[in-house]
């Protein structure tokens, strides 16, 4: 669960109940300034200027726990965490369509988002795994409808294996569940999709501080529109904002 911010203040606390179990609590203020129309968005040619837009502000509150132990279920280390969150965003910015030819970016009132996130981590020798399930529901206080950027429910799986001390393989999968939206009739159903990435990370011993990463994003070339896309009103037509397809990448980083 995340919310893009320009500035924020945080307060977090952790209280250990036992050597393995801790309680967690945090609060974060949120701020997102007014943005220009995305030049890559499919609705950019239809969006009218709104000089009365206000910045989004709000607060995110979380409570939960984490459990960590060693030498259980055959693992070197094992962990489980669970967090419940409640987010309130004032002057939430949305894209509306007053008519069939013009879009308008406007403040839509206060948005409430509730949900939870749970994760399970497992490590054994050179193998590490992390499984995370998150669920969220949103609604505007004045209408009871959800936002068009409602992310819904998702399951992520991250696997990592160290072939050698300086060479590792990783596989990441994201499964997003089908969702019945309550925003507008044209997007009542957000179809499920899954995306899978693979990467190889190599730190050559002859070049200390250098890391090379080769990978393939969206291995199976899934065609989908993100549930969090701001321009879902155009889904199903040629202007829908589809996410990138298969992408082969090579990158390097050098640490001084």
């Amino acid at each position: 669960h995340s919310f893009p911010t320009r500035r924020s203040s945080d307060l977090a606390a952790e209280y250990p109940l036992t050597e393995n179990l801790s309680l967690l609590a945090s609060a974060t203020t949120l701020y997102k300034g007014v943005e220009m129309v995305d030049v890559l968005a499919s609705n950019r040619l239809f969006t009218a200027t709104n000089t009365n837009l206000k910045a989004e502000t709000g607060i995110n509150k979380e409570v939960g726990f984490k459990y960590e132990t060693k030498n259980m279920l055959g693992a070197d280390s094992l962990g489980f965490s669970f967090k419940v969150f409640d987010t309130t965003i004032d002057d939430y910015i949305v894209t509306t369509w007053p008519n069939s030819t013009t879009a308008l970016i406007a403040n839509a009132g206060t948005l409430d988002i509730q949900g939870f996130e749970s994760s399970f981590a497992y490590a054994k020798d050179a193998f590490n795994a992390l499984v995370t399930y998150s669920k969220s529901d949103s609604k505007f206080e004045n209408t009871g409808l959800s936002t068009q950027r409602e992310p819904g429910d998702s399951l992520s799986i991250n696997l990592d294996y160290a072939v050698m001390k300086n060479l590792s393989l990783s596989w990441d999968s994201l499964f997003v569940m089908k969702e019945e939206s309550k925003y507008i009739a044209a997007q009542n159903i957000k179809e499920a999709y899954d995306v899978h990435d693979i990467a190889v990370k190599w730190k050559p011993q002859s070049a200390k501080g250098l890391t090379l990463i080769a990978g393939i994003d969206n291995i199976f070339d899934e065609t989908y529109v993100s549930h969090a896309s701001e321009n879902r009103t155009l889904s199903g037509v040629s202007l829908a904002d589809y996410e990138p397809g298969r992408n082969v990448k090579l990158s390097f980083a050098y640490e001084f």
Side-chain angles (χ1 to χ4, degrees):
H1 171 66
S2 63
F3 181 79
T5 61
R6 299 282 177 86
R7 65 171 183 255
S8 65
S9 57
D10 307 308
L11 178 64
E14 179 177 338
Y15 182 78
L17 293 177
T18 68
E19 182 181 353
N20 305 108
L21 180 65
S22 298
L23 299 181
L24 308 171
S26 65
T28 305
T29 59
L30 308 173
Y31 177 91
K32 181 182 179 183
V34 176
E35 299 178 350
M36 296 185 298
V37 176
D38 186 351
V39 295
L40 298 178
S42 58
N43 69 342
R44 67 191 182 281
L45 299 177
F46 311 98
T47 304
T49 301
N50 184 355
T51 59
N52 297 317
L53 274 179
K54 299 177 182 178
E56 298 177 348
T57 58
I59 185 170
N60 178 64
K61 295 169 286 186
E62 295 184 354
V63 294
F65 69 89
K66 67 176 182 179
Y67 178 82
E68 298 174 322
T69 188
K70 297 180 179 180
N71 302 317
M72 179 181 287
L73 301 178
D76 295 331
S77 65
L78 182 149
F80 178 78
S81 67
F82 181 85
K83 293 182 180 179
V84 177
F85 63 83
D86 184 291
T87 305
T88 300
I89 304 173
D90 296 319
D91 297 313
Y92 189 79
I93 298 174
V94 301
T95 301
T96 62
W97 291 80
N99 55 63
S100 59
T101 59
T102 303
L104 178 66
I105 298 178
N107 298 110
T110 299
L111 180 72
D112 293 323
I113 308 173
Q114 292 85 34
F116 68 84
E117 181 178 275
S118 60
S119 62
F120 175 78
Y122 182 96
K124 175 65 175 178
D125 297 328
F127 175 73
N128 290 273
L130 176 65
V131 179
T132 303
Y133 180 80
S134 61
K135 178 180 178 62
S136 66
D137 293 295
S138 66
K139 65 178 181 179
F140 288 103
E141 287 187 355
N142 57 338
T143 64
L145 300 178
S146 64
T147 169
Q148 65 200 70
R149 289 183 286 180
E150 165 67 62
D153 308 340
S154 64
L155 173 71
S156 65
I157 301 174
N158 310 106
L159 307 176
D160 187 87
Y161 184 76
V163 181
M164 297 185 294
K165 184 178 180 180
N166 63 336
L167 179 66
S168 63
L169 304 176
S170 64
W171 178 286
D172 298 327
S173 294
L174 175 65
F175 301 87
V176 179
M177 316 305 176
K178 184 176 181 179
E179 183 185 7
E180 298 286 342
S181 174
K182 296 181 180 179
Y183 183 66
I184 60 175
Q187 51 186 55
N188 274 343
I189 297 178
K190 295 181 179 181
E191 297 297 338
Y193 61 86
D194 54 273
V195 183
H196 309 270
D197 308 329
I198 191 171
V200 180
K201 182 185 293 184
W202 179 46
K203 295 182 178 181
Q205 296 177 346
S206 59
K208 187 177 180 180
L210 179 64
T211 302
L212 300 175
I213 303 174
I216 304 175
D217 294 338
N218 197 355
I219 298 171
F220 304 113
D221 201 19
E222 177 85 352
T223 301
Y224 68 100
V225 178
S226 170
H227 286 194
S229 171
E230 189 170 353
N231 300 309
R232 293 198 58 83
T233 50
L234 299 176
S235 298
V237 299
S238 59
L239 292 177
D241 281 337
Y242 291 104
E243 296 298 310
R246 185 186 297 112
N247 177 47
V248 179
K249 63 182 182 182
L250 177 64
S251 60
F252 70 91
Y254 188 79
E255 183 177 337
F256 296 92

